[in-house]
């Protein structure tokens, strides 16, 4: 690393943080999506089954949120000091909702009366909705631009709230619902699978509508965004994104139609996972589209990753630790998912 420039090290850290955020969105997205679907999953047994599909992995999924936030604070302190005051409210609401949801996740299995169970079910569901919506609002507020003067946030307390941020909040809700439904298609069978297949189709179509709406608005938020999507040759890098979205959406819907056939075929367990993989692909393409728009800004429209970076020596020191820590996290996360692979049966759980 001694031969790398400060700009190269900062770029590496930008990709590490972006990857951590994306992994959080993917892993905690389907987890939150299960809670988002609760109003349409009726009966204690079906809700227990849905929760048991994520019970072994849900708390580890948020590791990546900590890494993304901690990495931003250490590697790009100027960005952290600018973004946090702009997004205090949605981030605080998100964290409180995640805590509340985590408590309800554990307590619903300890409820001794129907009334207690109903309360914790609604708490789990409500926490999922609030956390997902707050994440989407924070994303929209960041993408639409943050007012900066003299290397400090210069906007007001309510600048994060706008029509665009509300739309992105609803888009994240729909997207997480799609992820959660596709996850349940993969992990369940029989009547439960048929129920969530129908939910997955509706959530997929709703998510595609939001992707189209946000994609139409983003290029016109800032001149730099517009240049990335419409100027030549930058348009050549952006053009594959909408094409691949159409391809993945078609494959996802086709995978939902095929899911659950020939249940005695052991290969169907993996075929049932095709919609979930395609849903992850849609999130990756949407994330890539935002990356194409924003790069190399870390606080649109004024601060780039190189301007926000901490000293090179600090970033190199942290990069050594990250190069050891990240493979370990990936290893135990992958092992956890492999250990609890396969379908989850009714009445079988991990509590």
């Amino acid at each position: 690393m001694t031969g790398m420039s400060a700009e190269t090290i900062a770029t590496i850290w930008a990709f590490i943080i972006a990857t951590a955020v994306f992994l959080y969105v993917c892993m905690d997205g389907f987890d939150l999506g299960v809670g988002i679907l609760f109003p349409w999953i009726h009966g204690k047994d079906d809700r227990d089954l849905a929760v048991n599909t994520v019970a072994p992995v849900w708390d580890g999924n948020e590791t990546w949120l900590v890494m993304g936030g901690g990495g931003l604070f250490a590697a790009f302190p100027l960005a952290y000091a600018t973004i946090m005051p702009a997004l205090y409210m949605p981030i605080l609401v998100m964290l409180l909702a995640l805590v509340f949801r985590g408590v309800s996740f554990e307590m619903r299995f300890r409820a001794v009366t129907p009334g207690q169970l109903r309360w914790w079910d609604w708490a789990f569901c409500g926490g999922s909705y609030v956390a997902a919506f707050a994440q989407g609002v924070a994303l929209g507020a960041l993408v639409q631009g943050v007012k900066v003067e003299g290397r400090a946030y210069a906007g007001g307390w309510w600048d994060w709230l706008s029509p665009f941020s509300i739309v992105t909040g609803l888009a994240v809700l729909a997207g997480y619902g799609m992820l959660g439904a596709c996850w349940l298609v993969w992990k369940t069978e029989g009547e439960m699978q048929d129920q969530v297949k129908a939910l997955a189709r509706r959530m997929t179509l709703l998510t595609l509508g939001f992707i189209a709406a946000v994609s139409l608005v983003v290029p016109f938020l800032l001149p730099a965004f517009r240049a990335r999507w419409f100027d030549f040759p930058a348009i050549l890098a952006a053009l594959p994104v909408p094409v691949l979205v159409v391809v993945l959406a078609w494959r996802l819907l086709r995978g939902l139609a095929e899911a659950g056939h020939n249940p005695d075929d052991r290969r169907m367990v993996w075929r049932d996972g095709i919609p979930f993989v395609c849903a992850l692909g849609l999130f990756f393409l949407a994330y890539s589209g935002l990356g194409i728009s924003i790069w190399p800004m870390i606080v649109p429209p004024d601060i780039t990753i190189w301007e926000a970076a901490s000293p090179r020596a600090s970033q190199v020191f942290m990069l050594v630790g990250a190069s050891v820590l990240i493979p370990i996290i990936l290893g135990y996360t992958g092992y956890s998912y492999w250990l609890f692979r396969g379908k989850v049966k009714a009445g079988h759980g991990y509590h």
Side-chain angles (χ1 to χ4, degrees):
M1 298 181 190
T2 55
M4 294 184 183
S5 66
E7 290 77 11
T8 301
I9 298 294
T11 302
I12 292 172
W13 265 109
F15 277 99
I16 289 174
I17 293 171
T19 301
V21 172
F22 177 70
L23 289 174
Y24 168 75
V25 167
C26 290
M27 295 182 181
D28 212 36
F30 72 79
D31 179 1
L32 289 166
V34 170
I36 289 169
L37 297 176
F38 250 42
W40 296 277
I41 299 175
H42 302 292
K44 179 181 183 299
D45 292 340
D46 285 349
R47 288 184 172 181
D48 285 349
L49 178 60
V51 172
N52 279 328
T53 64
V54 298
V57 295
W58 75 274
D59 44 358
N61 292 339
E62 291 167 6
T63 301
W64 301 105
L65 179 63
V66 176
M67 176 168 287
L72 183 68
F73 173 77
F76 302 101
L78 176 59
Y80 186 90
T82 306
I83 292 172
M84 286 302 295
L87 304 179
Y88 269 142
M89 179 61 77
I91 290 177
L92 181 61
V93 169
M94 177 197 73
L95 293 175
L96 290 174
L98 288 175
V99 171
F100 191 65
R101 180 179 176 276
V103 172
S104 63
F105 191 105
E106 298 294 337
M107 293 302 296
R108 69 177 304 278
F109 286 100
R110 291 163 175 78
V112 294
T113 66
Q116 290 178 351
L117 179 62
R118 192 178 307 111
W119 159 254
W120 290 118
D121 276 352
W122 280 109
F124 177 69
C125 174
S128 300
Y129 270 84
V130 172
F133 183 71
Q135 289 176 19
V137 167
L139 173 64
L142 178 62
V143 171
Q144 72 186 8
V146 176
K147 296 178 183 178
V148 178
E149 291 181 6
R151 295 168 62 86
Y153 176 60
W157 178 253
W158 295 100
D159 282 14
W160 55 270
L161 186 61
S162 69
F164 179 73
S165 67
I166 291 174
V167 170
T168 55
L170 295 174
V172 169
L173 269 176
Y176 283 179
M178 175 187 69
L179 277 179
C182 291
W183 168 262
L184 291 175
V185 168
W186 187 15
K187 300 295 287 184
T188 62
E189 56 188 3
E191 293 182 4
M192 179 66 172
Q193 188 186 60
D194 292 337
Q195 181 183 172
V196 293
K197 279 169 63 176
L199 287 172
R201 291 189 192 95
R202 292 197 291 268
M203 286 296 182
T204 298
L205 295 175
L206 187 60
T207 300
L208 291 173
F210 276 118
I211 289 175
V214 172
S215 299
L216 290 173
V217 173
V218 165
F220 301 98
L221 290 175
L222 296 170
F225 295 172
R226 190 158 53 251
R228 290 299 178 87
W229 285 99
F230 299 124
D231 289 359
F232 186 87
I235 193 174
L236 296 179
L239 187 60
V241 174
V243 176
L244 290 173
V245 166
V246 173
V247 172
L248 278 180
W250 168 80
R251 189 63 187 91
L252 192 161
L253 293 172
R254 182 180 175 186
L256 289 174
E258 296 172 347
H261 296 173
N262 301 320
D264 295 330
D265 186 349
R266 299 179 66 180
R267 292 175 297 178
M268 282 307 299
V269 175
W270 301 108
R271 292 178 188 171
D272 286 356
I274 289 176
F276 182 66
V277 174
C278 291
L280 293 177
L282 288 175
F283 264 80
F284 177 75
L285 291 174
Y287 196 70
S288 299
L290 289 176
I292 291 171
S293 299
I294 291 174
W295 180 263
M297 294 176 285
I298 194 169
V299 184
D302 297 315
I303 301 177
T304 67
I305 60 170
W306 304 294
E307 293 169 336
S310 59
R312 179 183 181 280
S314 299
Q315 290 198 338
V316 170
F317 177 77
M318 293 184 296
L319 195 57
V320 173
S323 64
V324 176
L325 185 62
I326 291 175
I328 293 174
I329 297 174
L330 289 171
Y332 78 66
T333 300
Y335 178 71
S336 298
Y337 280 88
W338 175 257
L339 186 64
F340 294 101
R341 65 192 182 276
K343 300 286 188 180
V344 178
K345 309 289 185 180
H348 294 178
Y350 308 106
H351 283 72

